Amino acid sequence: MRVLLHVCCGPCSITVARELLDSGAQVEGLFYNPNIHPLGEYARRRDGALEVAARLDFPLTVLDSEYDPKVFFRAVAGHEDERCGACYELRLGRTAAWARERGFDAFSSTLLYSKYQKHGAITLLGMALAGGGLEFLYRDFRAGWGEGIRISKEWGIFRQQWCGCLYSENERYAKLLKKEGR
């Protein structure tokens, strides 16, 4: 089975790609993440994903030419507190289109690895985007969470502390500010 894997970052792709490759799938990755902000953060995550793909020997297409955070900001404007669904739709929608255009059998996402992502929403969206000969390959990859962290540290892969969007980063640091009482 030829599977296009949406890759959000290096650490999340390690155990997901390994599991798919070990199951006999022919895996190719796609790095499309207009939600990641700022550009330096995007580049660090992209480079980590490229390093993991090289180490695990699967091709990874990077859509740097389509990196445009304005696309993400427009998609979530007015409903920032429920932004994840729009963000998933941007990334998985582009992945499904890419897979369909290139004759893949299925697509999936490393988002299904993270215990912080909305697993049910990702799954429902993936299933809705499937069809016309393209399958959404659902797997609960969260069991590999600890191993992915361990290996990413061992390999020296850049590890981020938030999902990538400006809102998530602000929420993370706002908690720290509250703890400091400022």
Side-chain angles (χ1 to χ4, degrees), residues 35 72 75-76 79-92 111 116-118 121-122 125 163 165 167-168 171:
N35 60 305
F72 167 75
V76 302
H79 50 275
E80 291 82 358
D81 291 339
E82 296 86 34
R83 66 189 174 272
C84 296
C87 184
Y88 299 149
E89 191 167 344
L90 279 174
R91 297 188 286 164
L92 292 182
L111 293 168
Y116 296 108
Q117 297 299 325
K118 297 175 181 175
I122 294 164
L125 177 62
C163 82
C165 80
Y167 305 106
S168 176
E171 289 167 358

Side-chain angles (χ1 to χ4, degrees), residues 1 14 21 40 46 65 69-70 73-74 88 99 119-120 127-128 148 167 170:
M1 176 186 295
I14 295 170
L21 290 165
R46 177 205 58 208
S65 63
K70 291 184 300 250
F73 289 123
R74 286 184 191 123
Y88 299 149
H119 202 260
M127 291 165 60
Y167 305 106
N170 286 347

Side-chain angles (χ1 to χ4, degrees), residues 2-179:
R2 221 171 136 231
V3 178
L4 182 64
L5 179 64
H6 166 261
V7 174
C8 62
C9 65
C12 291
S13 65
I14 295 170
T15 58
V16 174
R18 273 189 170 171
E19 183 175 324
L20 292 173
L21 290 165
D22 288 348
S23 75
Q26 181 185 348
V27 177
E28 293 184 35
L30 182 69
F31 188 86
Y32 173 71
N33 297 291
N35 60 305
I36 300 174
H37 184 84
L39 181 58
E41 181 73 16
Y42 171 87
R44 284 186 292 277
R45 292 179 190 216
R46 177 205 58 208
D47 294 348
L50 285 166
E51 185 174 341
V52 168
R55 282 178 175 263
L56 298 179
D57 195 29
F58 69 90
L60 176 65
T61 299
V62 174
L63 297 182
D64 281 348
S65 63
E66 295 184 29
Y67 174 69
D68 185 357
K70 291 184 300 250
V71 171
F72 167 75
F73 289 123
R74 286 184 191 123
V76 302
H79 50 275
E80 291 82 358
D81 291 339
E82 296 86 34
R83 66 189 174 272
C84 296
C87 184
Y88 299 149
E89 191 167 344
L90 279 174
R91 297 188 286 164
L92 292 182
R94 183 65 179 113
T95 304
W98 186 272
R100 204 171 265 112
E101 291 163 7
R102 286 157 182 80
F104 283 85
D105 301 306
F107 73 103
S108 192
S109 178
T110 60
L111 293 168
L112 293 169
Y113 161 86
S114 175
K115 63 183 185 177
Y116 296 108
Q117 297 299 325
K118 297 175 181 175
H119 202 260
I122 294 164
T123 303
L124 288 174
L125 177 62
M127 291 165 60
L129 291 167
L134 181 66
E135 176 187 336
F136 177 67
L137 181 62
Y138 167 77
R139 298 239 177 105
D140 185 345
F141 296 109
R142 293 175 286 192
W145 178 261
E147 182 182 0
I149 291 170
R150 182 186 60 74
I151 294 170
S152 65
K153 287 178 179 179
E154 183 179 301
W155 290 355
I157 304 296
F158 173 72
R159 294 184 33 74
Q160 64 281 351
Q161 302 301 312
W162 74 95
C163 82
C165 80
L166 179 65
Y167 305 106
S168 176
E169 181 186 27
N170 286 347
E171 289 167 358
R172 177 180 182 269
Y173 286 107
K175 290 176 187 173
L176 292 175
L177 291 175
K178 287 178 184 174
K179 283 183 182 177

